[in-house]
Amino acid sequence: MVNTLMQLIRVAAIGPESSGEGEHAKAEVLTQILNEIGFDKIERYDAVDSRVPSGKRPNIVAYFNGKTDAKRLWIVAHLDVVPSGEESLWKVTKPFEPTVKNGCVYGRGSEDNGQSLVASMFAVKALKQLGIKLNRTVALAFVADEEAGSTMGIQHLISKGLFRKNDLIVVPDSGEPKGNFIEIAEKSILWFKVVTIGKQTHGSLPNKGLNAHRIGMQVALALDTKLHQKYNAENDYFTVPISTFEPTKKDKNVDAVNIVPGEDVVYFDCRILPQYNVEDVLADVCRVAAEFEAKTGAKIKVEVIQKQAAPPVLNNESEITLLLKEALMQARGIEAKVGGIGGGTCAAFFRKQGIPAVVWSTIDEVAHQPDEYARIANMVEDAKVFALLATM
Ligand SMILES: [Zn+2]
């Protein structure tokens, strides 16, 4: 399992939004591994994407047939990874040169989502080697584009009609270190950018221009304050019980210290409790932008990058929730609790279709960080739970 995880980490699968080439190369390696394990059927559902050299974003489905195909167990993991971030912050190893240390595999994509990719494959491999004939078919879906909205990934796969209302779906793409948290609800997601256009000028003559950077900062801080104050409800069902509104990315502006920037771009990542309407939040953002436009004379545009309204909260008693709780108790003696997170995993898209999906895995929550790692014991223990779940 460790070797397989390291083999997968070595092939970066970064989306075109982050100047990557997509998942093509990683899909080739994965297909080879799946062939070696010997699944009953492997299918490809590529989405066309002219932004990547291969022209497509691969989605792979591998089936291990049971006695009946009536109610499949699906385990859905994603192939893509986020970029390294600041490389100098990686102390243990370089992002795509995996290494093992203190019982963990380090590298970008180790925890998110390599650990679960490998755990799901090896659960099937173990069942196969033990000669266990399952009642239900197990289908593993390995999808693209999870980190940037999933249009070329799980949404593409769902549009092919592969998933049925009574299927059992697990998305092992979030969780807690004890493995005792089953996620059945997610917040709404709103990503937007604010573009402020002023007038570029010499640093010593600010009166001749309009400093877009200053106005951009003022707008960002005003949004930060306004959104936190207005949408301040708490819901203890969620691990982070409040709505979050974070200014994150900044586009680069001018190249010299003595230039007053004529353009400023700042991005926000908002995770909003389901009780609020995302459209209301967006309307407030536009209102603040308009206020500053009137006040400063700058041109201020708000552009939506991603907007996903939270799907309905899944029933605590859905079959997959109960089975997973049972498997956790039997395999590991874990009493699992059920709740919500900031989102957005592939599970949200199933829930929108009225198909119950749970999110669960055992992780230290180091995804997207420098020195990301996967704990080997977690990978092995999660594989046991998947295998047991398949037999239930
Ligand atoms: Zn992930």
Side-chain angles (χ1 to χ4, degrees):
M1 292 175 85
V2 168
N3 285 336
T4 303
L5 179 55
M6 289 171 68
Q7 195 183 350
L8 289 167
I9 291 169
R10 282 188 200 105
V11 203
I14 297 167
E17 299 78 4
S18 307
S19 317
E21 298 193 347
E23 305 83 356
H24 177 72
K26 194 164 179 177
E28 297 294 303
V29 174
L30 183 78
T31 304
Q32 203 186 323
I33 299 167
L34 292 170
N35 282 327
E36 279 162 20
I37 293 174
F39 281 80
D40 292 311
K41 188 169 64 166
I42 298 173
E43 294 172 339
R44 280 278 292 252
Y45 295 90
D46 292 348
V48 175
D49 190 345
S50 60
R51 300 170 301 171
V52 294
S54 66
K56 51 201 171 190
R57 309 293 295 279
N59 295 287
I60 300 170
V61 181
Y63 298 89
F64 182 50
N65 292 340
K67 288 179 199 144
T68 146
D69 193 34
K71 193 186 277 185
R72 295 174 184 157
L73 171 68
W74 288 89
I75 302 173
V76 181
H78 64 88
L79 290 163
D80 56 321
V81 304
V82 293
S84 317
E86 184 56 60
E87 274 207 40
S88 64
L89 297 174
W90 288 74
K91 303 297 180 203
V92 177
T93 188
K94 291 198 173 127
F96 299 103
E97 293 172 20
T99 191
V100 178
K101 195 181 163 189
N102 302 328
C104 300
V105 177
Y106 285 80
R108 176 56 85 223
S110 52
E111 178 183 287
D112 184 16
N113 199 202
Q115 175 185 320
S116 296
L117 276 176
V118 175
S120 65
M121 287 192 285
F122 276 71
V124 169
K125 185 174 179 172
L127 291 167
K128 210 174 140 63
Q129 286 182 344
L130 290 166
I132 293 173
K133 187 68 187 162
L134 297 175
N135 282 323
R136 71 170 98 258
T137 292
V138 177
L140 308 185
F142 304 102
V143 297
D145 194 29
E146 194 277 336
E147 300 291 359
S150 287
T151 30
M152 310 272 173
I154 197 63
Q155 297 198 64
H156 179 72
L157 214 48
I158 288 174
S159 76
K160 300 292 168 196
L162 291 176
F163 305 98
R164 301 166 301 195
K165 287 243 168 12
N166 66 343
D167 282 348
L168 305 168
I169 296 171
V170 181
V171 179
D173 193 20
S174 175
E176 288 186 359
K178 287 184 182 152
N180 63 348
F181 183 71
I182 300 173
E183 184 254 286
I184 61 163
E186 290 178 14
K187 294 175 187 169
S188 299
I189 298 183
L190 175 63
W191 292 358
F192 62 86
K193 69 174 176 180
V194 181
V195 182
T196 303
I197 312 283
K199 186 166 179 268
Q200 184 174 316
T201 182
H202 194 282
S204 66
L205 300 166
N207 52 316
K208 297 242 186 236
L210 184 59
N211 192 328
H213 183 33
R214 176 184 290 114
I215 298 165
M217 287 194 288
Q218 288 167 341
V219 175
L221 285 174
L223 286 171
D224 192 335
T225 307
K226 164 122 195 176
L227 297 175
H228 279 104
Q229 276 171 358
K230 183 163 175 190
Y231 301 96
N232 62 354
E234 287 194 28
N235 182 341
D236 288 332
Y237 197 62
F238 287 82
T239 45
V240 176
I242 53 170
S243 301
T244 57
F245 306 94
E246 290 298 305
T248 52
K249 182 171 153 178
K250 274 291 287 168
D251 280 353
K252 174 183 172 302
N253 56 17
V254 292
D255 286 308
V257 182
N258 60 355
I259 301 172
V260 169
E263 185 172 330
D264 180 86
V265 186
V266 62
Y267 297 72
F268 272 75
D269 178 345
C270 312
R271 310 288 170 127
I272 305 155
L273 288 173
Q275 64 209 80
Y276 293 121
N277 184 336
V278 191
E279 300 301 335
D280 291 345
V281 177
L282 188 57
D284 277 323
V285 172
C286 293
R287 221 168 284 139
V288 169
E291 273 166 33
F292 274 86
E293 204 170 59
K295 203 154 69 183
T296 62
K299 181 105 196 75
I300 305 174
K301 288 180 292 187
V302 176
E303 287 174 35
V304 174
I305 312 279
Q306 197 191 162
K307 188 174 66 179
Q308 306 277 0
V313 175
L314 186 68
N315 174 1
N316 281 3
E317 303 290 301
S318 77
E319 187 175 2
I320 183 59
T321 308
L322 297 177
L323 285 178
L324 180 54
K325 274 182 149 177
E326 175 69 27
L328 278 165
M329 181 50 80
Q330 271 189 37
R332 290 162 57 179
I334 290 172
E335 180 95 57
K337 55 184 193 286
V338 173
I341 63 160
T345 67
C346 288
F349 299 102
F350 288 106
R351 294 173 190 147
K352 259 181 215 162
Q353 302 291 318
I355 305 174
V358 295
V359 179
W360 168 85
S361 63
T362 311
I363 50 169
D364 283 0
E365 300 181 86
V366 289
H368 300 205
Q369 296 177 18
D371 286 333
E372 177 184 349
Y373 65 85
R375 206 169 277 288
I376 296 165
N378 288 343
M379 179 165 65
V380 175
E381 292 300 307
D382 284 9
K384 290 180 190 169
V385 173
F386 293 143
L388 183 57
L389 199 54
T391 65
M392 289 176 131

